[in-house]
Amino acid sequence: MATKAFKSQKIDEIKAKIEKAQVAVITEYKGLSVEDITKLRREIQKDGGDYMVTKNTLAKIAVKGTDFEVLTEKLTGPVALAFGFEDPVSPAKAVTKFIKESKKGVILGAVLDGKLLSVEETKALAALPSKEELYAKMLGSINSPASGIANSINAVLSQLTRAMAAVRDQKAA
């Protein structure tokens, strides 16, 4: 049986993660082995997040008074929380990919900006491009007009050079 000090430490641990988190994805870990959970945790940690299996009662105490308080209704049964600290999309992507590949686990929802998302909304969140992809698209959009102008100028100069070479060859003949 866990001591009060241990429970208090776990509550503080959950609170610390919640304070930093932008999103929390709620999953059911029933049927997952320790290896599976570790693999999923490592995948989420690569993208600046964390995956935590916790007691529902401790999690309910930890989220009281925070934007994540709405997730208390989903904290029933064997659930785990995937937190996203840097990118709100990456934990949902990692969990969705893991479930698709392993055919184990279930997404129960997510909390984003104090709003409880349904399973469908969470899957839609996972389908969004990541922060890096959005940066790349934005830079491509910014760079595109400049590249177009440079290519047009280069094409005109190339045509002029070919025309001058053709005139030179014609006079030489």
Side-chain angles (χ1 to χ4, degrees):
M1 181 137 182
T3 64
K4 270 189 172 183
F6 177 77
K7 288 179 182 179
S8 177
Q9 178 186 357
K10 282 294 181 189
I11 290 170
D12 291 341
E13 204 176 297
I14 298 167
K15 277 184 182 179
K17 289 180 194 258
I18 285 174
E19 287 172 1
K20 293 190 307 184
Q22 294 180 9
V23 67
V25 179
I26 305 122
T27 65
E28 186 177 274
Y29 67 88
K30 189 175 180 181
L32 295 178
S33 67
V34 173
E35 279 181 33
D36 292 334
I37 291 172
T38 303
K39 181 181 175 187
L40 178 57
R41 181 177 290 124
R42 297 294 174 251
E43 195 62 37
I44 293 171
Q45 286 174 340
K46 273 192 237 173
D47 297 323
D50 198 10
Y51 188 72
M52 176 182 231
V53 175
T54 184
K55 289 185 64 84
N56 296 337
T57 51
L58 299 180
K60 286 177 184 178
I61 293 168
V63 298
K64 266 195 181 136
T66 68
D67 287 346
F68 294 92
E69 191 167 6
V70 293
L71 70 78
T72 54
E73 65 187 65
K74 294 283 186 176
L75 293 174
T76 56
V79 297
L81 301 171
F83 296 106
F85 305 122
E86 297 170 10
D87 183 10
V89 176
S90 60
K93 263 189 194 308
V95 169
T96 303
K97 181 182 173 193
F98 176 81
I99 290 172
K100 187 184 274 187
E101 288 174 357
S102 69
K103 310 256 189 282
K104 296 177 185 175
V106 177
I107 293 176
L108 301 174
V111 177
L112 179 66
D113 295 329
K115 182 181 181 274
L116 185 64
L117 304 179
S118 68
V119 175
E120 293 79 27
E121 291 171 323
T122 305
K123 288 180 180 177
L125 177 68
L128 292 173
S130 69
K131 213 183 257 190
E132 288 77 24
E133 290 174 90
L134 287 174
Y135 287 153
K137 286 180 181 182
M138 187 174 71
L139 288 174
S141 297
I142 291 170
N143 195 24
S144 180
S147 297
I149 291 170
N151 290 338
S152 298
I153 292 171
N154 192 26
V156 170
L157 292 174
S158 295
Q159 287 175 346
L160 178 64
T161 305
R162 278 189 238 116
M164 288 173 49
V167 169
R168 182 192 66 213
D169 293 343
Q170 190 179 25
K171 287 188 177 187

